[in-house]
């Protein structure tokens, strides 16, 4: 009997997550759960000031506290050439400040002690004398000629500009604007927010004083890339560095960079010959590690009177903090922001960007986002709604009129992306039907007559995920391919090793399902391994929704290679020609004689016991997959809100989300990803903000000030799918982990703006607090 | 959490606790639910030399009605107040406020008395007790004293409690006749402190308003009793006009600061909205009682 599709639960099946058993029983192992014999504890002293010269650091009192083993300063690190490190954007960042501090919370020194309490007590005994300097907190002011220079450590830096970048055709865009009937513009700020994974960052660094082997248990979304960075930064031989990621409690981009704490703990372990643990607390995570967004954007859309879009012009100013540490491919300076033309067939576009150093934490990470596509999607989707108001058109109909038509794919955009596939109108129509769009517009009209405020907002986003291809995308020179190694054991059970790194995405389940579909081995018979650089093949890690498009493809490809080999073995054991064999999931059978068959388990056994003499034994191999293109998931989200005019509060009545991520490996896990992203998008739109006062003090340094919504605030989500397979991915899948974070903020904000649009309101800045809504209402009412 | 070093004692009786405080009150902090103190310790904003943990002292967890008062013992948890069946009818303001205090995790441990002792101007219980005209009974080794809540709450994080004293009980007079009340709170999320909250208590006397209590949360250096608003209502007809006027006076009594939650003007506007809505609801309950 053949194994049926259903029994093997491959791609398309909502099987339960294999990893959940240990998580729901509290049996996961996170970095802070690791305890090694003789382990010491490190705590970091951080700057209370945003900008100040360091006059002196006196650690004598700290050193004298019983239980303190060592105090690590930038000076000490400098003696080992470790005071500075490279960032993900090719800039430099102080590990510990030596000359001056450049943001509040910057690492200044560390205490290594026998226990964590003593280490923290000793921090208070380090005397640092600061000479305060004026703090630069506004990126616009940072670029003014008389602004204090933040990066005076760099010889070639005479101002606070950290990059300038542009793309698109400026003259074609200018010409189109001259011919336009209508131009709509929007100035908006995508505020600084933070990925805030529940597990903060940390490391247990264990450098063996005899062998020199450095075993680094750390919170990393990209263990291999981090190993290479460590080899380059510390000069350690790469074969002697082993990065091991245990369970990772969320990443969302926050665990892509290399942080000073990792470097300092490793240096301390190297110098002291003992394991050193460093785990940051919540405030340290919020004030010093990779933030997200912080983009000041200006967009203009040129159109004909009938709504036909002619050109898009966008300028952005990014606030990069004290070090240009954005995690992004080398060839771009504002990530993939130039996907800002979105889902629309725009004949011309020009995008210009510049970045400013400020006295704020560095590290613009793509928080659940493929390299700045979130900011781009927000810009265009907000602009399109305002364009519809200006034209007197329905926002959905303006979108429909300008969508890239299904027959135009693959579609080359004017900013240089080749969209692999799409059917935007189908996704939007499904969303409009599910939400009851026409009825809602009628209800909105009736309620307005009674003075009540109902808003309907939407976003028809296009994502771009799955970097490589390697020729276009690298990080610090490391090409963005990914890998899989598959070993099928004699009994037909398998181990799959992948170069990507789960932080909650469910890889142990979904990657097993890919093998299951390709080879017919049930998912429960496949152990998925990752996150140990001594054990798994090289890969660039998990972020930017790249795991399924890259390592997922690699997994399919190596499975197919092994299936080809398996066919030869099956032909041998069945004593037929390969050409006489046919494959159905889980077995080869002889054409015309379906009972004469070898299951994949039979073949696996034969691979070690009865393989053809001209064939290597075993059934294993690896594949490095270089994606020919990125994948372009898309969808339409519709949000309906009601507003309490007395308080400005807005309540979400409906969220209808239609996502098209091509073929879904595990629809239940996809749903979970979408729910998470829709919740995070809501949080960003409604309540999250890392802000700074004029002295550069960070406001938002704990969960009292930086808000994570609970189940009480989070709206109910209604999710639906259309399926447009990726034409170049081995089984038609696209990345999806970030679609909802990317697409939803504009839909929420558009809904609130829409509720007030008849009063002339065109913009509300995130977070859209009740106070901001109330103020917009006061202004609109007093103006009318 | 890595607080500064502190000494910890867990007395088994109130007398033992009070004698410890009599000697070392100045360097001690009393721990009840710990939902304000422990975060302060964690952030090292507070570094007391001694923690006196009351949780092993028996007989302080009561919530009961006697001699015309609701008596809330020092260790009665917010959770106990939420769960109490007796409050809905007689003390609707308390019943409305209790489930709005922070989140379930905090309510499981946090106490009403501890909230008052912390005197956070964004604390909910201060306003509720002001609106209800409650008193606080405190005790030291040398005896008891009873303080009206209006005198107990002195300033931001400051009460008239001496370092040698602990709160033993909160006494809420039972509202007389036809009365109603409620608590309205605007918060950014569950568990957040109020952006603005308002406690309203209203008694009807022969169709007219008898005693009115209105107090405001998070719009000043401490919980604010809106005295002018209360006076404007006493003896007045319960009409939309008199409620509007009270709401206006209450908004005047507020002295909020502008911050990330909103501007001072905004917060005053919310006070006005909430006082008006609160009075409408209180009147509805009073008429039904």
């Amino acid at each position: 009997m053949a194994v049926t599709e259903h029994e093997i639960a491959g791609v398309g099946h909502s099987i339960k997550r294999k990893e959940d058993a240990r998580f729901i029983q509290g049996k996961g192992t996170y970095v802070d759960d690791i305890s090694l014999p003789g382990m010491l504890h490190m705590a970091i002293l951080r700057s209370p000031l945003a900008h100040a010269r360091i006059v002196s650091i006196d650690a004598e009192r700290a050193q004298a506290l019983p239980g303190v083993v060592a105090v690590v300063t930038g000076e000490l690190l400098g003696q080992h050439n470790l005071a500075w490190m490279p960032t993900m954007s090719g800039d430099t960042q102080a590990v510990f400040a030596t000359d001056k501090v450049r943001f509040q919370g910057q690492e200044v020194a560390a205490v290594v002690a026998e226990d964590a309490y003593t280490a923290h007590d000793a921090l208070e005994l380090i005397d640092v004398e600061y000479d305060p300097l004026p703090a630069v907190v506004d990126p616009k002011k940072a670029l003014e000629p008389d602004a204090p220079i933040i990066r005076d450590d760099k010889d070639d830096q005479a101002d606070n500009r950290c990059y300038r970048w542009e793309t698109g055709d400026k003259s074609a865009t200018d010409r189109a604007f001259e011919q336009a009937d209508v131009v709509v513009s929007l100035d908006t700020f995508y505020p600084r927010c933070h990925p805030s994974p529940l597990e903060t960052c940390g490391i247990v660094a264990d450098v063996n004083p005899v062998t020199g082997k450095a075993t680094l248990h750390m919170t990393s979304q990209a263990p291999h890339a981090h190993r290479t960075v460590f080899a380059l930064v510390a000069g350690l031989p790469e074969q002697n560095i082993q990065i091991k990621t245990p369970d990772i409690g969320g990443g969302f981009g926050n665990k892509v960079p290399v942080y000073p704490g990792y470097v300092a703990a490793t240096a301390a372990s190297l110098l002291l010959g003992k394991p050193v643990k460093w785990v940051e607390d919540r405030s340290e995570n919020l004030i010093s590690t990779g933030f997200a967004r912080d983009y000041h954007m200006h967009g203009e859309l040129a159109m004909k009177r009938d709504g036909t879009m002619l050109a898009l012009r966008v300028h952005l100013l990014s606030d990069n903090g004290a070090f240009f540490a954005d995690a992004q491919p080398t060839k771009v300076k504002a990530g993939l922001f130039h996907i800002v033309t979105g889902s629309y067939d725009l004949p011309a576009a020009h995008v210009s960007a510049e970045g400013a150093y400020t006295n704020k934490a560095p590290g613009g990470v793509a928080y659940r986002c493929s390299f700045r596509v979130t900011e781009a999607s927000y810009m265009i989707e907000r602009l399109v709604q305002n364009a519809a108001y200006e034209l007197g058109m329905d926002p959905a109909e303006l979108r429909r009129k300008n969508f890239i038509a299904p027959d135009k794919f693959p579609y080359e955009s004017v900013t240089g992306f080749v969209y692999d596939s799409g059917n935007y109108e189908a996704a939007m129509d499904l969303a409009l039907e599910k939400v009851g769009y026409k009825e809602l517009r009628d209800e909105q009209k009736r309620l307005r007559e009674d003075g009540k405020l109902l808003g309907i907002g939407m976003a028809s986003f296009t994502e771009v995920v799955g970097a490589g291809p390697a020729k276009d995308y690298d990080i610090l020179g490391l090409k963005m391919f990914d890998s899989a190694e598959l070993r099928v054991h004699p009994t037909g059970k398998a181990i799959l090793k992948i170069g990507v790194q789960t932080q909650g995405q469910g890889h142990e389940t979904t990657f097993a399902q890919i093998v299951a579909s390709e080879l017919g081995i049930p998912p429960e018979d496949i152990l998925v391994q990752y996150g140990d650089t001594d054990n798994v093949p090289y890969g660039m890690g998990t972020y930017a929704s790249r795991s399924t498009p890259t390592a997922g493809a690699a997994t399919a490809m190596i499975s197919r290679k092994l299936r080809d080999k398996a066919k030869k073995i099956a032909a041998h054991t069945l004593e037929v020609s390969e050409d006489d064999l046919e494959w159905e999931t889980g077995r080869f059978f002889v054409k015309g004689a379906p009972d004469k068959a070898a299951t994949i388990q039979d073949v696996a056994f034969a691979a070690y016991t009865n393989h053809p003499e001209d064939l290597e034994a075993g059934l294993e191999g690896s594949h490095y997959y270089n994606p020919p293109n990125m994948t372009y998931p898309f969808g339409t989200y519709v949000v309906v809100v009601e507003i309490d005019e007395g308080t400005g509060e807005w309540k979400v009545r409906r969220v209808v989300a239609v996502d098209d991520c091509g073929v879904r490996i595990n629809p239940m896990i996809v749903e979970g990803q979408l729910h998470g992203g829709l919740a995070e998008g809501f949080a960003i739109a409604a309540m999250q903000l890392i802000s700074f006062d004029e002295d550069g003090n960070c406001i938002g340094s704990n969960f009292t000030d930086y808000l994570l919504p609970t189940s009480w605030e989070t709206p109910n989500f209604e999710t639906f799918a259309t399926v447009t397979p990726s034409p170049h991915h081995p089984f038609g899948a696209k990345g999806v982990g970030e679609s909802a974070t990317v697409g939803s903020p504009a839909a929420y904000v558009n809904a609130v703006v829409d509720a007030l649009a008849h009063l002339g309101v065109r913009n509300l800045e995130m977070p859209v607090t009740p106070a901001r809504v109330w103020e917009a209402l006061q202004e609109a009412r007093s103006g009318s | 959490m890595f607080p500064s070093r502190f000494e910890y004692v867990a007395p088994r009786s109130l007398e033992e606790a009070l004698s410890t405080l009599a000697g070392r009150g100045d360097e001690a902090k009393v721990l009840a639910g710990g939902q304000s103190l422990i975060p302060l310790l964690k952030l090292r904003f507070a570094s007391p030399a001694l923690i006196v943990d009351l949780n092993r002292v028996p007989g302080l967890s009561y919530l009961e009605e006697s001699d015309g008062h609701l008596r809330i013992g020092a260790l009665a948890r917010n959770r106990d107040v939420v769960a109490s069946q007796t409050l809905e009818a007689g003390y609707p303001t308390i019943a409305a406020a209790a489930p709005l205090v922070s989140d379930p995790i905090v309510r499981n441990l946090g106490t009403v008395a501890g909230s008052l002792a912390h005197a956070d101007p964004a604390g909910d219980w201060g306003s509720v007790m002001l609106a209800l005209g409650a008193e606080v009974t405190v005790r030291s080794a040398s005896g008891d004293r009873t303080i009206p809540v209006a005198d107990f709450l002195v300033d931001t994080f400051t009460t008239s409690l001496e370092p040698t004293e602990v709160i033993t009980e909160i006494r809420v007079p039972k509202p007389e006749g036809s009365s109603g009340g409620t608590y309205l709170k605007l918060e950014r999320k569950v568990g957040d402190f109020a952006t603005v909250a308002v406690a309203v208590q209203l008694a009807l006397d022969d169709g007219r308003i008898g005693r009115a209590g209105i107090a405001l949360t998070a719009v000043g250096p401490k919980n604010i009793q809106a005295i002018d608003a209360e006076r404007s209502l006493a003896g007045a007809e319960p009409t939309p006009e008199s409620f509007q006027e009270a709401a206006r006076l209450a908004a005047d009594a507020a002295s909020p600061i502008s911050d990330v939650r909103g501007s001072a003007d905004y917060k005053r506007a919310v006070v006005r909205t909430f006082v008006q809505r609160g009075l409408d609801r209180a009147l509805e309950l009073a008429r039904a009682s």
Side-chain angles (χ1 to χ4, degrees), chain A residues 568-587:
Chain A
K568 293 186 198 303
I569 299 168
H572 173 73
T573 59
L574 293 170
E575 297 177 334
V576 294
S577 150
E578 258 191 82
D579 296 340
D580 293 334
L581 286 179
E582 256 185 69
W583 167 259
E584 65 178 358
T585 305
R587 67 168 209 157

Side-chain angles (χ1 to χ4, degrees), chain A residues 169-180 302 310-311 313 347-348:
Chain A
D169 187 334
K170 184 170 188 308
S171 58
T173 304
D174 290 347
R175 278 197 305 279
F177 270 85
E178 280 161 24
Q179 288 156 13
L310 299 173
R313 187 189 277 152

Side-chain angles (χ1 to χ4, degrees), chain A residues 285-474:
Chain A
N285 181 256
L286 283 169
I287 66 174
S288 74
T289 66
F291 69 92
R293 328 293 190 232
D294 219 340
Y295 263 27
H296 298 260
M297 300 180 280
H298 172 79
E300 295 174 17
L301 189 58
M303 294 170 296
K304 288 192 204 163
R305 173 57 56 196
D306 69 358
T308 306
M309 293 179 188
L310 299 173
L312 176 69
R313 187 189 277 152
V314 180
H315 178 73
L316 73 89
L317 169 60
S318 61
D319 183 338
N320 297 81
F323 306 102
F324 186 26
D326 294 22
Q328 62 191 353
T330 305
K331 287 177 189 166
V332 292
K333 291 297 168 207
L336 303 181
F337 181 81
H338 49 303
I339 191 85
V340 66
T341 53
S343 307
Y344 308 103
D345 192 358
L346 271 154
H350 182 249
V351 179
S352 58
E354 59 184 333
Y357 288 118
T358 59
N359 289 119
K360 297 178 187 169
V365 298
Y367 164 23
R368 204 167 186 169
C369 154
S370 185
F371 307 119
R372 304 292 189 177
V373 61
T374 308
E375 293 90 324
S377 177
Y378 184 74
M379 180 77 234
I380 186 68
E381 287 305 310
R382 294 285 325 284
L383 196 52
V384 167
Q385 175 165 298
N386 280 3
Y389 297 143
E390 184 66 29
L391 294 163
M393 282 179 80
D394 183 281
E397 294 315 306
L398 179 60
R399 286 180 169 87
R400 187 189 307 284
K401 188 174 179 64
N402 290 284
F403 277 152
I404 300 161
D407 60 4
K408 286 202 168 184
F409 293 93
Y411 171 86
E412 185 165 1
S413 82
V414 286
T415 56
F417 293 94
V418 180
Y419 294 29
D420 66 343
S421 58
N423 189 347
Y424 303 148
E425 196 169 356
M428 184 178 79
D429 282 338
L430 182 59
L432 297 181
E433 178 209 319
K434 293 294 180 186
V435 82
Y437 187 66
K438 196 188 162 305
E439 294 74 15
L440 279 168
R441 286 288 178 205
D442 292 343
E443 183 186 357
Q444 181 184 44
K445 201 176 288 177
R446 282 198 310 277
L447 287 172
R448 280 179 179 172
E449 282 161 15
D450 299 339
K452 288 187 180 144
L453 303 173
L454 178 80
I456 306 142
M458 55 191 291
S460 294
F461 67 95
T462 290
E463 258 258 71
V464 51
V465 306
K471 69 178 167 46
D472 296 329
Y473 297 101
D474 68 84

Side-chain angles (χ1 to χ4, degrees), chain A residues 227 296 301 473 507 622 650 674 722 731-732:
Chain A
R227 186 187 68 191
H296 298 260
L301 189 58
Y473 297 101
H507 290 175
S622 65
W650 52 281
L674 294 171
T722 58
F731 55 96

Side-chain angles (χ1 to χ4, degrees), chain B:
Chain B
M1 116 173 197
F2 301 101
S4 302
R5 279 163 197 279
F6 58 83
E7 196 184 332
Y8 171 87
V9 293
R12 302 287 169 154
S13 71
L14 197 53
E15 290 66 32
E16 195 187 332
L18 294 174
S19 84
T20 303
L21 290 174
R24 301 179 62 188
D26 284 336
E27 52 178 337
K29 269 297 203 185
V30 173
L31 175 75
Q35 299 305 294
S36 301
L37 180 57
I38 287 173
L40 292 174
L41 294 174
K42 180 183 85 169
L43 296 167
R44 298 196 175 206
F45 290 165
S47 303
L50 173 65
I51 298 283
V52 179
D53 182 352
L54 289 189
N55 285 284
R56 286 178 179 74
V57 174
L60 291 177
S61 299
Y62 56 86
L63 183 72
E64 61 187 37
E65 232 184 332
S66 63
D67 61 41
H69 285 77
L70 176 70
R71 299 169 55 227
I72 303 172
L75 286 180
R77 315 279 168 182
N78 287 301
R79 173 197 61 200
D80 303 330
V81 183
V82 173
S84 169
Q85 301 298 313
T86 61
L87 298 170
E88 197 66 51
Y91 305 89
T93 312
I94 293 177
L100 298 179
V101 174
S102 195
D103 58 33
I105 300 162
V106 170
R107 290 198 295 269
N108 280 341
L109 282 171
T111 62
V112 181
S115 169
L116 287 179
H118 186 52
D120 188 327
D124 298 301
W125 288 122
S127 293
V128 172
M129 296 307 163
L130 283 170
L132 288 166
E135 297 170 328
V136 181
T137 302
V138 304
R139 185 177 298 172
S140 68
S142 49
D144 283 352
R145 58 189 184 118
T146 297
I147 312 163
V149 169
D151 297 331
F152 182 80
L153 299 173
V154 175
D155 205 343
T156 308
F157 302 127
T158 308
T159 66
S160 55
L161 192 70
E162 296 294 332
T164 53
E165 292 175 326
V166 297
I167 298 175
T168 52
E169 179 175 291
I170 298 152
R171 298 170 60 79
V172 186
K174 186 170 174 58
E176 287 171 13
S178 304
S179 70
T182 193
Y183 190 70
L184 298 172
K185 181 174 180 178
L186 175 66
E187 56 187 6
R188 299 174 300 176
K189 56 165 279 195
V190 165
D192 186 24
F193 288 102
T195 299
V196 171
V198 166
V200 169
Q201 179 71 26
L202 197 68
L204 291 180
D205 186 4
D206 217 11
R208 285 181 173 271
I209 300 171
R211 183 186 176 282
I214 298 174
L216 319 175
T217 305
V219 288
K222 57 178 182 168
N223 298 101
I224 292 173
Q225 189 172 1
I227 294 170
D228 291 343
E230 291 176 351
R231 282 185 188 144
S232 79
L233 289 170
E237 300 266 1
T239 60
E241 292 72 28
S242 66
F243 285 3
Q244 264 171 35
E245 176 63 3
R248 187 186 67 78
L249 290 166
D252 283 350
S255 57
I257 53 161
S258 297
D259 59 16
V260 291
R261 289 178 167 84
S263 66
D265 284 349
Y266 167 67
K267 292 177 185 178
R268 274 203 196 85
V270 177
V271 168
R272 204 165 165 157
T273 297
F274 277 0
V275 170
Q276 218 160 308
R277 288 180 188 174
L279 287 168
D280 288 343
R281 173 71 181 145
L283 180 64
E284 194 183 316
L285 289 171
R287 283 183 171 152
S289 73

